[in-house]
Amino acid sequence: MLFSKRNSINCDKCTVKASCFYAYLDPAAQREWKQLMTTARLEDGEILFNEGDRPPGLFIICSGSLKVCKNSLSGQQLISRIEHAGDLAGHIAFFAGGAYQGSGEAMGQTLARSQEPGGLLQQQRSQQGAQQQAGAAGVEAEENFVK
């Protein structure tokens, strides 16, 4: 699986746009979004992300389906959910700043989009992290001042 701009699709003409994250962005953010997104075509069984890996970004399923699953201690595959066209995948780990809690595997031919490294969402997450650190430092400074 290789993400590229060459495989790109037009979000404005997408049939599932109304249920997609893209539809909730203002026009300026939509323009930036389209410039930063790359697309991958996955075949049945191809892995989009692996359990335990750190997310480079979030994924949008444009067509097809993606099963998010874990392997049990006995080796059985446990499906936690199935993402369909218009759904986000990997977003919980991305926004939490943690690792994937399951693997994402294509069910049939699946088209997924992701953001280029250093894009809008990564910048937002970095800013949120900086704000949280600044807030924590402010609380600590206030606690020291009160003492």
Side-chain angles (χ1 to χ4, degrees):
M1 167 201 53
L2 176 66
F3 278 90
S4 85
K5 288 195 177 280
R6 192 173 30 143
N7 293 330
S8 192
I9 59 170
N10 186 344
C11 291
D12 293 320
K13 295 180 180 178
C14 181
T15 57
V16 296
K17 179 174 87 171
S19 64
C20 181
F21 179 73
Y22 175 82
Y24 298 98
L25 300 173
D26 63 55
Q30 286 180 349
R31 283 190 297 279
E32 186 173 354
W33 179 265
K34 287 189 277 188
Q35 292 173 351
L36 297 172
M37 295 306 286
T38 57
T39 307
R41 296 182 189 281
L42 293 92
E43 296 299 323
D44 186 43
E46 199 168 350
I47 302 296
L48 181 62
F49 54 85
N50 287 300
E51 181 177 352
D53 287 352
R54 308 266 318 162
L58 57 81
F59 302 99
I60 297 173
I61 307 306
C62 297
S63 66
S65 297
L66 183 84
K67 66 179 172 182
V68 179
C69 52
K70 297 180 73 136
N71 288 323
S72 71
L73 294 175
S74 64
Q76 289 184 310
Q77 188 179 68
L78 307 171
I79 298 173
S80 59
R81 66 184 174 280
I82 296 177
E83 307 293 2
H84 300 283
D87 290 343
L88 292 174
H91 57 290
I92 296 170
F94 175 76
F95 287 117
Y100 293 120
Q101 297 300 304
S103 297
E105 181 181 326
M107 297 174 63
Q109 288 190 338
T110 301
L111 191 66
R113 297 198 85 186
S114 184
Q115 192 178 43
E116 290 180 334
L120 177 68
L121 291 173
Q122 279 95 345
Q123 292 170 8
Q124 276 187 323
R125 188 175 71 183
S126 294
Q127 288 172 351
Q128 287 172 345
Q131 288 171 347
Q132 288 172 348
Q133 287 175 349
V139 167
E140 185 177 317
E142 186 176 318
E143 286 173 353
N144 290 336
F145 179 76
V146 172
K147 289 179 185 177

